[in-house]
């Protein structure tokens, strides 16, 4: 695949076109993979007594149906996705949805939650600048906890399809040194997905 083809791919347009034409969030948000994600996230929410959640990449909303979120804000790059979720959860006053664009999101501490989740999203952000900004935004919103469900690779794998870009996610996460990875949960269904869970917690304040 040529560099020209990679740079020409617009991941935001891809997902908006997908949802606008009747597509969904894909295999990861349905069936056993959706149940696996819910099992891990819901257990963590209960264990840590999480009251508020912000999600980067709410998708078509199907995954949310399995989640036990007390207060929830869903963000997505696709206007159609946000509209789908708003219709699906329109009578649920505990859930709100907003359009997200990494180049138009400036959070100086106003938007915060106990937990920020980003599930099956990061490796679909093919634009490098958007990828780094999305990570910045994820951590800017997290008071205590971050759950990432993504591919953990060394970043040297060849890009075989336009819509997926592998990166060395552990290297990028070193930037957020006020958080530490406390758990890594391997994929329960490796024949269906290569994504794993990385759970990060904010470091306690150091004594002065």
């Amino acid at each position: 695949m040529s560099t020209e083809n990679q740079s020409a791919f617009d991941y935001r347009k891809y997902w908006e076109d997908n949802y606008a034409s009747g597509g969904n969030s894909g295999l990861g948000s349905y069936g056993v993979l959706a149940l696996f994600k819910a099992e891990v996230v819901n257990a963590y929410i209960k264990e840590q007594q999480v009251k508020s959640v912000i999600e980067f990449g709410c998708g078509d909303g199907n995954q949310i149906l399995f989640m036990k979120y007390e207060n929830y804000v869903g963000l997505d790059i696709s206007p159609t996705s946000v509209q789908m979720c708003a219709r699906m959860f329109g009578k649920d006053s505990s859930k709100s949805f907003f359009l997200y664009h990494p180049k138009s999101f400036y959070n100086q501490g106003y938007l915060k939650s106990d937990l920020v989740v980003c599930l099956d999203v990061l490796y679909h952000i093919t634009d490098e600048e958007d990828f780094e900004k999305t990570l910045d935004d994820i951590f800017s919103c997290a008071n205590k906890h971050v759950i990432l469900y993504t591919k953990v690779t060394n970043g040297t794998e060849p890009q075989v399809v336009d819509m997926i870009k592998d990166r060395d996610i552990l290297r990028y996460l070193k930037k957020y040194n006020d958080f530490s990875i406390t758990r890594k949960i391997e994929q329960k269904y490796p024949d269906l997905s290569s994504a794993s869970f990385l759970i990060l917690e904010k470091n306690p304040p150091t004594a002065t």
Side-chain angles (χ1 to χ4, degrees), residues 1-2 5-6 9 123 126 151 155-166 194:
M1 181 178 299
S2 70
N5 287 339
Q6 290 182 31
F9 180 72
Y123 56 85
T126 54
K151 298 173 73 175
T156 61
E157 295 80 2
Q159 187 171 344
V160 295
V161 294
D162 284 329
M163 61 180 290
I164 292 177
K165 183 172 177 58
D166 290 317
S194 55

Side-chain angles (χ1 to χ4, degrees), residues 15-16 18-20 25 57-61 64 74-89 97-99:
W15 285 105
E16 170 58 17
N18 171 70
Y19 293 123
S25 293
C58 55
D60 63 9
I64 305 169
L75 308 174
D76 205 279
I77 58 169
S78 162
T80 299
S81 161
V82 173
Q83 294 160 16
M84 291 168 68
C85 290
R87 287 194 296 268
M88 184 181 296
F89 299 100
F97 300 91
F98 301 96
L99 184 64

Side-chain angles (χ1 to χ4, degrees), residues 55-74:
E55 179 169 23
F56 281 75
C58 55
D60 63 9
N62 194 70
Q63 180 69 67
I64 305 169
L65 295 171
F66 299 89
M67 299 303 197
K68 297 179 180 178
Y69 296 143
E70 188 168 326
N71 292 287
Y72 171 88
V73 171

